[in-house]
Amino acid sequence: MAYNDWGKRNEAMKAYREAIRLKSDYPEAFNNLGAAQAEAGKYTEAIESFRQAIDLKPELTIAHYNLGIVSLLAKNRVAALEQYKLLTTLAPRAAEKLYAGIYQGKLLSVAPIR
């Protein structure tokens, strides 16, 4: 979905929710919904969407990364560290990026699956 590219978050969220309604076991749609929610500042909702993506597909590294970032944005450093620890084995490069956000204060952003 290209909605996020255009900044049309409400349309993106609606489209991802419809995709999930049609296929409730679609982890990538949950991740993308979470990314749109995070961009809209809806961190609690985004965290839930990323967790649903991870529940459906535990190896979906982008959802772990995004959950770590949104946890930081929601001021939950402990939760961000949990995702960092998981990423060190799942995706070391993503873990390095998240580490930079946690420990070096580098600005990070969530990422939809394209």
Side-chain angles (χ1 to χ4, degrees):
M1 301 260 168
Y3 291 113
N4 285 353
D5 294 339
W6 302 331
K8 296 183 177 180
R9 290 182 199 101
N10 288 334
E11 290 89 346
M13 287 186 278
K14 183 177 178 183
Y16 296 132
R17 284 187 184 107
E18 178 63 12
I20 291 164
R21 187 187 70 75
L22 295 171
K23 188 174 186 223
S24 62
D25 63 344
Y26 189 8
E28 293 83 358
F30 279 106
N31 179 77
N32 289 0
L33 175 60
Q37 290 165 328
E39 288 176 358
K42 298 178 177 187
Y43 301 139
T44 302
E45 292 176 32
I47 287 168
E48 181 57 32
S49 293
F50 294 134
R51 287 188 184 179
Q52 288 178 303
I54 291 166
D55 286 346
L56 290 169
K57 191 173 181 182
E59 71 278 7
L60 188 61
T61 57
I62 192 68
H64 287 282
Y65 176 78
N66 286 339
L67 179 54
I69 291 170
V70 174
S71 295
L72 276 178
L73 293 171
K75 310 250 187 274
N76 188 343
R77 193 167 184 255
V78 172
L81 284 168
E82 289 174 14
Q83 296 311 306
Y84 165 73
K85 288 175 187 174
L86 287 167
L87 285 169
T88 58
T89 55
L90 286 173
R93 294 185 85 194
E96 289 174 18
K97 287 183 180 180
L98 187 54
Y99 179 93
I102 296 169
Y103 290 107
Q104 299 168 352
K106 298 210 175 172
L107 184 63
L108 305 170
S109 60
V110 294
I113 297 170
R114 304 212 184 268

